[in-house]
Amino acid sequence: MREHSARYFSNKDCAYYPCHQVENQEDFNCLFCYCPLYALGERCGGNFRYTDRGIKDCTDCTLPHAAGGYEHIMSHIQEVLALGKAAP
């Protein structure tokens, strides 16, 4: 990944860095600190689970932070935008 490019950003000064346990922290991408695909529910493509209370838990998902994460998110971003247009 390119350091601080349009597709990659690493904030090693963040109090939560890294927010997920990964093998290689050098490739950890902070660009999508909050995943824009969260609203897609089961269609996001990440490693998530629903809690007993029905809340989507993405603790074990590193998709937005891993190599190829930017491309995956951008390939689904139109779905997220469509949700925003459909909202009252």
Side-chain angles (χ1 to χ4, degrees):
M1 294 187 167
R2 292 185 174 168
E3 187 71 19
H4 304 292
S5 73
R7 296 173 183 237
Y8 175 82
F9 171 75
S10 181
N11 183 6
K12 294 178 182 173
D13 293 329
C14 176
Y16 302 101
Y17 180 87
C19 58
H20 298 274
Q21 295 303 312
V22 294
E23 288 183 29
N24 186 355
Q25 289 183 7
E26 294 304 313
D27 291 335
F28 193 86
N29 190 351
C30 301
L31 184 64
F32 295 113
C33 179
Y34 294 96
C35 182
L37 303 185
Y38 182 89
L40 294 180
E42 296 180 1
R43 299 185 321 269
C44 71
N47 182 25
F48 66 91
R49 68 178 189 89
Y50 285 102
T51 67
D52 294 338
R53 298 176 67 194
I55 298 169
K56 188 176 177 184
D57 177 6
C58 303
T59 302
D60 294 328
C61 183
T62 59
L63 182 66
H65 308 293
Y70 176 89
E71 290 78 13
H72 177 80
I73 288 173
M74 296 312 292
S75 73
H76 290 83
I77 203 68
Q78 290 300 322
E79 293 175 64
V80 176
L81 296 173
L83 289 174
K85 288 180 182 177

